[in-house]
Each structure stands twice: as C-alpha cells, then as structure tokens.
Amino acid sequence: MRLISVGILTRNGGDGFRAVLDVLARQVCPVPHQVVILDSGSTDGTPEAAAEAGAVVHRIRPEDFSFGESRDLLFSRCEGEIIATISQDARPAGVHWLERITRPIREGRADVVQGMELLDDKTFYWERIGRFYSTSEWRPFFERYGWPGLPGLSTVNLAVSRRAWEATGFGPIPMCSDKLFQKRAVQAGLRVEACREAAVHHSHHYTIRSLFKRCANEGMALRLLGISVGTGQTLRDVLNRKNHRALVRGLLRGEVRRPAEVLFPLLRPLGIWYGYRFVAGYWH
C-alpha cells in the first residue's frame, strides 16, 4: 500500500484543531500518510496552521458547505488507498490511532472501520450519558441499517477504503451524511468493523441556539433519508419519562449545568420536528 490519507473538514478549528495536527504529525504507522483539509471560510488561521503542519489545503466558500457533498469533495482530493476522516475537534488518543483504525482494511478484513469516542466530564450531559439520540425517530433506521453492537456510523472517527467510498459516496445530503453512507454501505454489502482501540477525544458544547439548529438540521436530514417524523411521535418524545428522570438526576448531582442541557428534552424533539417540516437546506 502506497499511502493513507487523513481527511478533515475545517472551519475556525482554533487551538483544538492545532492539537489535532500535532498528534497527527506524530502518528506511528507502517504506511506513509498525508493530511488533507477542506476549509469552508476560516478566519482564525486554521488553513495556515494546517499548511504549516504539512497538510494539503483546499478551500470552498462557506455558503457552498454541505456535509455530504463537501466530504465527497474532500475525499476526491485525498490520494490514499485508505481514507481516515475525523472531526476537526476529534483529537486522536495516542500516536497509534491511524495504524489501528486502518489495520482491518489493510489486512483485508473490512471495507469500513468505525473508531470510538472518548468523552470527558465537560462533554454535553446528554451525550455523556448516551441519551443524545434517545428520541424515537432514528430507531427504525438503526434497526434496518445497523449492525450488532454498532447501530450507527459516525465520521467523527471513521476509516474507509477508497474502493468502498467510490462505490457509495456520502451523497448530496447537507447533514447526517454518515447515515446516508451507512445506508449505502449496507445496500452495497460492505464489510464494517468497530475498532475500540482506535479512539479520539471528542466533545460538544451547545448553546440553546446551536442545539436547536443542530437538531433542526437533523430533522431536515431525516426527511431526505425518507424517515418520517410525526407530530404525535414528537409529543411522545417531549414527554419521554427516561429523559425527564435523567434530567432530574443530573440536576441533583450537579452534572446538568448549562441552559441547553436543562432544555434538551424539549429542544431536541421540537428542533427535529421543525427541521423536518421547514428547513430546506443546511442551516448555517
């Protein structure tokens, strides 16, 4: 094998992205690798920092960004026979991350490898306790297109053979491109493997506005994926007892600290309902 690519979508990655570049520069892997970024209008020096670290830099206008098409464009600019992709704020947990996440593909056992995420105590409460996707709209999708022990794929930490990507692509979907890729991977019969040893440090922090936008974009993506979101279903999700019990526990333990964490049981289902009905394209 000649080359492995690490492809990253960036915009104003800040110090967190610089930390990612530092770890990537120290990866120990038997195959040479390149770092390729596709930047959508950074104003904080992100592309310059990437170029200084030896990455190949490509740019698009912010208004042209869409997760599916932008990631396909990024992959098309990568030269490797395997392409690993991570979020700009997903810092590999050690210098062997790239070797581990690409090993099943290099050894011919898999076409797609899903790495793991390590969350700290500052991560958004509902992600930390594993209930961010606790509402019901994704359940039929994961039941149909998931795998035992691995219901969903995430481009936060993923590796794909070039051949597999060329057979599927991420597609023209503004949000949740990893889920459209997952659907296509199942339909194409691709071999998927989880690799718990290939982990990244990753966390989200939401304001009320950014959480609602995130969920509205997800609702729009659900519509494009052909998954229905009914009003009755949304009301049941608003009244989800497990979420309200988890909220009370988090408040009593001092783990729920931000307004968006307090309002999550309401904002997520309503944001998805709104996006499913009213958001036409990616809400920047």
mmCIF file of all heavy atoms in Angstrom, residues 35-56:
data_model
loop_
_atom_site.group_PDB
_atom_site.id
_atom_site.type_symbol
_atom_site.label_atom_id
_atom_site.label_comp_id
_atom_site.label_asym_id
_atom_site.label_seq_id
_atom_site.Cartn_x
_atom_site.Cartn_y
_atom_site.Cartn_z
ATOM 1 N N VAL A 35 -2.137 14.436 5.344
ATOM 2 C CA VAL A 35 -3.299 15.086 5.934
ATOM 3 C C VAL A 35 -3.850 16.061 4.906
ATOM 4 O O VAL A 35 -3.108 16.866 4.340
ATOM 5 C CB VAL A 35 -2.939 15.828 7.235
ATOM 6 C CG1 VAL A 35 -4.170 16.555 7.790
ATOM 7 C CG2 VAL A 35 -2.393 14.853 8.270
ATOM 8 N N VAL A 36 -5.158 15.964 4.632
ATOM 9 C CA VAL A 36 -5.806 16.827 3.651
ATOM 10 C C VAL A 36 -6.984 17.501 4.339
ATOM 11 O O VAL A 36 -7.790 16.827 4.991
ATOM 12 C CB VAL A 36 -6.310 16.022 2.433
ATOM 13 C CG1 VAL A 36 -6.931 16.952 1.398
ATOM 14 C CG2 VAL A 36 -5.171 15.217 1.819
ATOM 15 N N ILE A 37 -7.086 18.831 4.214
ATOM 16 C CA ILE A 37 -8.228 19.517 4.789
ATOM 17 C C ILE A 37 -9.010 20.236 3.701
ATOM 18 O O ILE A 37 -8.453 20.641 2.676
ATOM 19 C CB ILE A 37 -7.833 20.507 5.905
ATOM 20 C CG1 ILE A 37 -7.214 21.770 5.312
ATOM 21 C CG2 ILE A 37 -6.914 19.850 6.924
ATOM 22 C CD1 ILE A 37 -7.182 22.935 6.292
ATOM 23 N N LEU A 38 -10.307 20.356 3.934
ATOM 24 C CA LEU A 38 -11.177 21.182 3.094
ATOM 25 C C LEU A 38 -11.776 22.228 4.019
ATOM 26 O O LEU A 38 -12.580 21.908 4.887
ATOM 27 C CB LEU A 38 -12.269 20.339 2.437
ATOM 28 C CG LEU A 38 -13.214 21.117 1.515
ATOM 29 C CD1 LEU A 38 -12.482 21.531 0.229
ATOM 30 C CD2 LEU A 38 -14.442 20.276 1.158
ATOM 31 N N ASP A 39 -11.360 23.465 3.850
ATOM 32 C CA ASP A 39 -11.762 24.542 4.753
ATOM 33 C C ASP A 39 -12.867 25.380 4.116
ATOM 34 O O ASP A 39 -12.798 25.730 2.941
ATOM 35 C CB ASP A 39 -10.563 25.434 5.084
ATOM 36 C CG ASP A 39 -10.904 26.433 6.164
ATOM 37 O OD1 ASP A 39 -10.892 26.039 7.348
ATOM 38 O OD2 ASP A 39 -11.208 27.595 5.831
ATOM 39 N N SER A 40 -13.875 25.723 4.931
ATOM 40 C CA SER A 40 -15.014 26.478 4.407
ATOM 41 C C SER A 40 -15.080 27.869 5.038
ATOM 42 O O SER A 40 -16.035 28.200 5.725
ATOM 43 C CB SER A 40 -16.317 25.714 4.639
ATOM 44 O OG SER A 40 -16.472 25.391 6.010
ATOM 45 N N GLY A 41 -14.034 28.643 4.816
ATOM 46 C CA GLY A 41 -14.087 30.055 5.204
ATOM 47 C C GLY A 41 -13.559 30.394 6.578
ATOM 48 O O GLY A 41 -14.067 31.331 7.217
ATOM 49 N N SER A 42 -12.553 29.692 7.064
ATOM 50 C CA SER A 42 -11.984 30.019 8.374
ATOM 51 C C SER A 42 -11.409 31.435 8.377
ATOM 52 O O SER A 42 -10.817 31.889 7.395
ATOM 53 C CB SER A 42 -10.881 29.023 8.738
ATOM 54 O OG SER A 42 -11.423 27.781 9.087
ATOM 55 N N THR A 43 -11.543 32.095 9.529
ATOM 56 C CA THR A 43 -10.959 33.426 9.709
ATOM 57 C C THR A 43 -9.975 33.464 10.868
ATOM 58 O O THR A 43 -9.516 34.535 11.252
ATOM 59 C CB THR A 43 -12.073 34.456 9.963
ATOM 60 O OG1 THR A 43 -12.837 34.054 11.112
ATOM 61 C CG2 THR A 43 -12.997 34.572 8.758
ATOM 62 N N ASP A 44 -9.657 32.285 11.422
ATOM 63 C CA ASP A 44 -8.790 32.239 12.604
ATOM 64 C C ASP A 44 -7.423 31.632 12.318
ATOM 65 O O ASP A 44 -6.700 31.268 13.241
ATOM 66 C CB ASP A 44 -9.468 31.442 13.725
ATOM 67 C CG ASP A 44 -9.589 29.956 13.390
ATOM 68 O OD1 ASP A 44 -9.413 29.589 12.195
ATOM 69 O OD2 ASP A 44 -9.844 29.150 14.303
ATOM 70 N N GLY A 45 -7.061 31.489 11.046
ATOM 71 C CA GLY A 45 -5.762 30.933 10.708
ATOM 72 C C GLY A 45 -5.712 29.426 10.627
ATOM 73 O O GLY A 45 -4.632 28.847 10.539
ATOM 74 N N THR A 46 -6.874 28.766 10.613
ATOM 75 C CA THR A 46 -6.897 27.302 10.531
ATOM 76 C C THR A 46 -6.201 26.768 9.285
ATOM 77 O O THR A 46 -5.359 25.865 9.385
ATOM 78 C CB THR A 46 -8.345 26.794 10.618
ATOM 79 O OG1 THR A 46 -8.831 26.973 11.960
ATOM 80 C CG2 THR A 46 -8.437 25.324 10.262
ATOM 81 N N PRO A 47 -6.497 27.261 8.075
ATOM 82 C CA PRO A 47 -5.801 26.735 6.890
ATOM 83 C C PRO A 47 -4.305 26.975 6.927
ATOM 84 O O PRO A 47 -3.524 26.116 6.509
ATOM 85 C CB PRO A 47 -6.454 27.496 5.723
ATOM 86 C CG PRO A 47 -7.723 28.029 6.252
ATOM 87 C CD PRO A 47 -7.491 28.286 7.703
ATOM 88 N N GLU A 48 -3.906 28.128 7.443
ATOM 89 C CA GLU A 48 -2.475 28.433 7.527
ATOM 90 C C GLU A 48 -1.771 27.496 8.504
ATOM 91 O O GLU A 48 -0.651 27.033 8.237
ATOM 92 C CB GLU A 48 -2.286 29.896 7.950
ATOM 93 C CG GLU A 48 -2.733 30.924 6.917
ATOM 94 C CD GLU A 48 -4.245 31.121 6.842
ATOM 95 O OE1 GLU A 48 -4.945 30.626 7.752
ATOM 96 O OE2 GLU A 48 -4.723 31.763 5.880
ATOM 97 N N ALA A 49 -2.434 27.199 9.630
ATOM 98 C CA ALA A 49 -1.846 26.269 10.597
ATOM 99 C C ALA A 49 -1.710 24.880 9.990
ATOM 100 O O ALA A 49 -0.714 24.181 10.208
ATOM 101 C CB ALA A 49 -2.701 26.214 11.858
ATOM 102 N N ALA A 50 -2.709 24.471 9.216
ATOM 103 C CA ALA A 50 -2.656 23.158 8.571
ATOM 104 C C ALA A 50 -1.523 23.098 7.554
ATOM 105 O O ALA A 50 -0.764 22.114 7.496
ATOM 106 C CB ALA A 50 -3.993 22.847 7.898
ATOM 107 N N ALA A 51 -1.390 24.141 6.736
ATOM 108 C CA ALA A 51 -0.318 24.170 5.742
ATOM 109 C C ALA A 51 1.045 24.151 6.407
ATOM 110 O O ALA A 51 1.971 23.478 5.949
ATOM 111 C CB ALA A 51 -0.475 25.400 4.854
ATOM 112 N N GLU A 52 1.186 24.888 7.492
ATOM 113 C CA GLU A 52 2.453 24.921 8.222
ATOM 114 C C GLU A 52 2.795 23.544 8.785
ATOM 115 O O GLU A 52 3.978 23.187 8.893
ATOM 116 C CB GLU A 52 2.362 25.942 9.354
ATOM 117 C CG GLU A 52 3.669 26.197 10.085
ATOM 118 C CD GLU A 52 3.550 27.293 11.110
ATOM 119 O OE1 GLU A 52 2.728 28.214 10.922
ATOM 120 O OE2 GLU A 52 4.289 27.230 12.117
ATOM 121 N N ALA A 53 1.771 22.757 9.127
ATOM 122 C CA ALA A 53 1.992 21.406 9.651
ATOM 123 C C ALA A 53 2.200 20.386 8.539
ATOM 124 O O ALA A 53 2.370 19.200 8.812
ATOM 125 C CB ALA A 53 0.813 20.986 10.521
ATOM 126 N N GLY A 54 2.176 20.826 7.290
ATOM 127 C CA GLY A 54 2.429 19.933 6.168
ATOM 128 C C GLY A 54 1.197 19.371 5.508
ATOM 129 O O GLY A 54 1.298 18.500 4.623
ATOM 130 N N ALA A 55 0.018 19.840 5.889
ATOM 131 C CA ALA A 55 -1.221 19.328 5.302
ATOM 132 C C ALA A 55 -1.455 19.942 3.925
ATOM 133 O O ALA A 55 -0.997 21.039 3.623
ATOM 134 C CB ALA A 55 -2.406 19.633 6.212
ATOM 135 N N VAL A 56 -2.198 19.209 3.109
ATOM 136 C CA VAL A 56 -2.667 19.728 1.829
ATOM 137 C C VAL A 56 -3.967 20.477 2.100
ATOM 138 O O VAL A 56 -4.889 19.929 2.716
ATOM 139 C CB VAL A 56 -2.907 18.590 0.816
ATOM 140 C CG1 VAL A 56 -3.420 19.146 -0.502
ATOM 141 C CG2 VAL A 56 -1.628 17.782 0.615
#
